[in-house]
Amino acid sequence: MLDIEQHSGVSVLRLQHGKVNALDLELLHAITAALGEIDERAAVVITGTGTAFCAGVDLRRVVAGGPPYLQEFLPALTAAFLAVFDHPGPVLAAINGHAIAGGCVLAAACDVRVMSQGTIGLA
């Protein structure tokens, strides 16, 4: 779901969740937990796998879970974005592919963004 590597004082968080790294409750909790465990002075790189950095919110899970899922999901979404945005050390989004909707917001929460391919944007 989330692979964490250490390289010379830099923590690399690689999203490895399904085909397009869609944001669901489990991935959001993993992002928040990982950033909570990383040294606050450490640099962080967030990247994806495959053809997508992150394709945004997993809408199928939202529809299937209905209001009870959303009541848990929305605070988790906020917490994950804030964990990235508030990390005291530098956070870089290495956008390896599509960053759509919530994926774009995740990238925007980082201090620096670099993109090698794909599409980025909000509806």
Side-chain angles (χ1 to χ4, degrees):
M1 170 171 318
L2 186 64
D3 183 38
I4 304 170
E5 304 167 12
Q6 298 293 325
H7 298 280
S8 303
V10 175
S11 295
V12 177
L13 306 182
R14 185 177 310 278
L15 307 176
Q16 294 183 321
H17 192 54
K19 293 169 72 174
V20 292
N21 303 311
L23 299 170
D24 63 10
L25 199 52
E26 294 77 19
L27 182 55
L28 294 171
H29 286 313
I31 291 168
T32 303
L35 283 161
E37 294 172 7
I38 292 172
D39 180 352
E40 64 182 31
R41 296 166 296 177
V44 176
V45 174
I46 300 176
T47 191
T49 53
T51 60
F53 171 74
C54 175
V57 171
D58 186 340
L59 296 176
R60 290 186 178 129
R61 289 281 307 273
V62 169
V63 170
Y69 181 80
L70 273 175
Q71 287 178 339
E72 192 174 353
F73 177 81
L74 291 175
L77 182 66
T78 300
F81 289 157
L82 286 175
V84 173
F85 186 77
D86 289 340
H87 180 72
V91 181
L92 178 129
I95 305 167
N96 61 298
H98 304 299
I100 307 300
C104 180
V105 175
L106 179 62
C110 297
D111 299 308
V112 177
R113 289 148 298 282
V114 294
M115 187 168 185
S116 61
Q117 63 183 3
T119 303
I120 188 168
L122 296 166

